[in-house]
Amino acid sequence: KYFKRIKYLFVLRGDTTSRLCFYQCFAFNIVPIIFESQIDLYSNLLLEEKEISILDSCLVIPNVDTKFFLEKVTKIIEVELENNHNYLNKIKNHKKIFDNFNWFTSKPLDNIINYLT
């Protein structure tokens, strides 16, 4: 019930490199907010849909260790929220992305096999 009311969600790294809430964002039309240091991890998840950049559906913020982190992140989020079209533009490919790594289908296994071969 909470995911249905959220438009943006910080996806902080947990004990693994990716988190379940990152994938849930695409199921519920939520824009995941990720750190720059996670770009390589998340940009390589979508293997079948080459024309879609998963990063275009995310809001990327600087890493915590930057000097003026709070000011930079505040500005990025303010600019993002100024216009509702930013949100709509980021979620336009959410269904396609989610379908590519939907764990209730064989897609993730196909993607892994394709990646390995």
Side-chain angles (χ1 to χ4, degrees), residues 20-60:
L20 178 60
C21 69
F22 179 79
Y23 304 101
Q24 290 171 325
C25 286
F26 294 94
F28 292 99
N29 284 331
I30 299 169
V31 176
I33 302 173
I34 63 170
F35 290 105
E36 284 177 340
S37 60
Q38 298 168 319
I39 287 176
D40 288 340
L41 168 73
Y42 290 119
S43 64
N44 292 321
L45 289 178
L46 210 64
L47 300 172
E48 189 173 294
E49 295 284 342
K50 300 283 188 211
E51 74 275 1
I52 297 174
S53 169
I54 202 166
L55 296 177
D56 291 342
S57 296
C58 299
L59 181 60
V60 180

Side-chain angles (χ1 to χ4, degrees), residues 11-27:
V11 178
L12 303 174
R13 183 176 173 179
D15 54 353
T16 61
T17 53
S18 62
R19 308 248 345 238
L20 178 60
C21 69
F22 179 79
Y23 304 101
Q24 290 171 325
C25 286
F26 294 94

Side-chain angles (χ1 to χ4, degrees), residues 44-94:
N44 292 321
L45 289 178
L46 210 64
L47 300 172
E48 189 173 294
E49 295 284 342
K50 300 283 188 211
E51 74 275 1
I52 297 174
S53 169
I54 202 166
L55 296 177
D56 291 342
S57 296
C58 299
L59 181 60
V60 180
I61 60 173
N63 296 325
V64 177
D65 59 351
T66 58
K67 187 173 182 178
F68 298 102
F69 174 75
L70 183 59
E71 292 87 356
K72 288 180 181 180
V73 170
T74 301
K75 183 65 176 168
I76 290 168
I77 292 173
E78 284 175 349
V79 168
E80 181 71 20
L81 296 177
E82 281 178 357
N83 187 338
N84 194 45
H85 290 292
N86 292 334
Y87 168 75
L88 296 174
N89 191 41
K90 287 206 179 345
I91 65 163
K92 69 182 177 188
N93 290 319
H94 269 40

